[in-house]
Amino acid sequence: MFESIKRTLPPTETVFVIGAGFSAALGYPLVNDLLVRLWPRLEKQDEHDLAKVVVFHHPAFNPKQKTSYPNIETLLSEMTANEQLFDASRNAPTGFTLDQLQSIKANLLYEIARWFHEIYQTNVRPNPPPWLGKFNVLVHEKNATIISFNWDLVIDDLLFSEGISAEDYGLGNAGSSKPVLIKPHGSLNWYDEKHGGRIAARKQIPLYEDVFAFSSFREPISISGRKYSPLIIPPVFNKEFKQGIFKPLWQACVDKLSKAKDVVFIGHSLPEADMHARFILRCGFYNQLLGVPTLKGRAQPTGASVVTIVNPDLAAARRIEGVVGTSGRCDWQPFLASDWLMGHHC
């Protein structure tokens, strides 16, 4: 995709925080339009089953009326509440079983994952836009850490096209010779043993305990029609991080942010409902001023970082500014990620 960039660089002092606005410039959906754009891709039976669930929660839903679609975060949160209170909400069996509901939800996430793979393989990988190359150079020049809340594999392939390791994803003892990509919401090429154990061993890269990465930046293909569901955190209001891999990932986020001199948010809106991201980011900025906690107290603080917010949405910039705190200096750049990377950062 891009030529490999190899340099010996000092330890990272720059952190890029990447959100959906970064990938939207490549054709990926946002929370508000994801279900609208996904719906025509669904098989008839899947569409029929999902429609019954959507209509229950949103009686005015009409697949032909775009304004009647809920956003995907709302719908998945409602389906999760439905699961949790399924038995408590009925005194007798109904036409809809808990297993069916869970299957519909799992299939919805699987179809989203397949769609994201297709966008990359069809639209992005064959003809990457110039601004993506600019980002690649910028990241390597600064030997930066990237914290990406996106599932897609755009940045993964951009940085690690010659092969991936646990260290590349911020797991283990990462060296200082190349950038690190931390994905605290999971990734489309990560699988636990249950969902991806049948992938050929030669294509499995050990990441953490029973979680591994698929070595190819594409969807695993099963001759027998098996579905490989990736390890991703669904966009719900109350996210759950049950697998052990997420603890070191979030710890790595705090560690990198706590020592950063520059933090650049690109296309990240920091929604009010994403309490986990807000908390972890706040920990990092808090530690910049007070020092990282140790068994003997706190380490020497590195001081407040310079924060750049690349997002045309002022409300998003204000939310990020609130988490940074009054001691941080925020520079709002009201541009799309693609426009800013093509020159506005110079």
Side-chain angles (χ1 to χ4, degrees):
M1 183 171 146
F2 290 101
E3 291 185 6
S4 175
I5 301 175
K6 294 182 179 180
R7 297 178 185 141
T8 301
L9 298 168
T12 178
E13 293 185 339
T14 299
V15 174
F16 289 98
V17 182
I18 303 300
F22 182 95
S23 296
L26 299 167
Y28 290 88
L30 295 171
V31 168
N32 291 332
D33 69 349
L34 189 151
L35 197 58
V36 176
R37 293 174 58 186
L38 177 69
W39 201 267
R41 297 175 49 86
L42 299 175
E43 297 289 339
K44 287 298 180 182
Q45 186 60 51
D46 294 335
E47 178 185 340
H48 176 265
D49 293 342
L50 182 59
K52 290 194 295 184
V53 176
V54 179
V55 167
F56 172 79
H57 290 286
H58 301 270
F61 173 68
N62 179 351
K64 296 181 180 180
Q65 185 178 349
K66 292 183 179 180
T67 56
S68 71
Y69 281 76
N71 73 49
I72 192 65
E73 187 174 38
T74 297
L75 177 62
L76 286 170
S77 297
E78 290 166 340
M79 294 176 75
T80 299
N82 193 334
E83 286 181 72
Q84 294 171 341
L85 296 176
F86 192 88
D87 292 332
S89 62
R90 42 186 56 75
N91 295 321
T94 63
F96 221 65
T97 68
L98 179 58
D99 286 345
Q100 287 174 322
L101 176 64
Q102 292 172 332
S103 177
I104 292 170
K105 180 181 175 183
N107 189 65
L108 173 58
L109 291 171
Y110 175 73
E111 290 301 325
I112 294 172
R114 289 193 63 200
W115 181 27
F116 279 27
H117 277 299
E118 183 179 310
I119 290 173
Y120 186 56
Q121 294 297 330
T122 304
N123 301 342
V124 182
R125 206 167 200 268
N127 188 29
W131 65 264
L132 202 54
K134 292 272 191 178
F135 180 70
N136 188 32
V137 172
L138 187 62
V139 168
H140 281 86
E141 283 180 348
K142 295 181 176 293
N143 192 29
T145 291
I146 304 170
I147 299 174
S148 175
F149 291 93
N150 299 337
W151 304 327
D152 64 64
L153 303 179
V154 173
I155 298 175
D156 311 54
D157 198 2
L158 191 70
L159 300 181
F160 314 130
S161 58
E162 294 184 349
I164 51 180
S165 67
E167 288 74 19
D168 292 330
Y169 286 120
L171 299 162
N173 298 315
S176 60
S177 61
K178 60 180 179 178
V180 173
L181 173 61
I182 305 172
K183 304 180 79 171
H185 283 175
S187 181
L188 291 182
N189 66 327
W190 295 1
Y191 297 87
D192 59 24
E193 185 64 29
K194 175 183 177 182
H195 291 284
R198 293 181 182 272
I199 294 176
R202 68 181 184 280
K203 293 184 177 293
Q204 296 180 7
I205 309 298
L207 292 183
Y208 187 87
E209 295 178 350
D210 61 346
V211 176
F212 55 86
F214 180 47
S215 60
S216 298
F217 298 106
R218 61 168 176 77
E219 177 189 4
I221 300 172
S222 171
I223 298 177
S224 61
R226 185 181 303 277
K227 291 183 177 180
Y228 297 113
S229 298
L231 181 56
I232 55 178
I233 300 300
V236 296
F237 299 142
N238 295 312
K239 297 178 176 64
E240 295 184 355
F241 301 89
K242 295 180 179 179
Q243 287 88 350
I245 190 174
F246 291 107
K247 181 177 179 179
L249 287 174
W250 286 106
Q251 287 176 328
C253 290
V254 174
D255 180 66
K256 295 295 185 180
L257 286 166
S258 298
K259 303 170 185 176
K261 297 296 185 183
D262 297 281
V263 180
V264 184
F265 290 83
I266 304 182
H268 187 57
S269 62
L270 194 62
E272 294 284 356
D274 197 347
M275 295 299 174
H276 296 87
R278 295 175 67 85
F279 172 69
I280 289 299
L281 289 168
R282 184 67 198 122
C283 287
F285 289 114
Y286 186 80
N287 289 345
Q288 289 177 6
L289 300 180
L290 277 76
V292 176
T294 70
L295 295 176
K296 297 182 179 180
R298 286 184 177 269
Q300 183 70 26
T302 57
S305 60
V306 175
V307 177
T308 303
I309 304 168
V310 182
N311 197 317
D313 183 2
L314 177 58
R318 293 299 187 204
R319 287 193 294 272
I320 294 171
E321 186 179 42
V323 169
V324 171
T326 56
S327 299
R329 191 184 86 201
C330 293
D331 176 22
W332 178 41
Q333 295 288 309
F335 304 106
L336 296 172
S338 52
D339 293 338
W340 184 78
L341 285 164
M342 284 302 292
H344 287 297
H345 72 275
C346 298

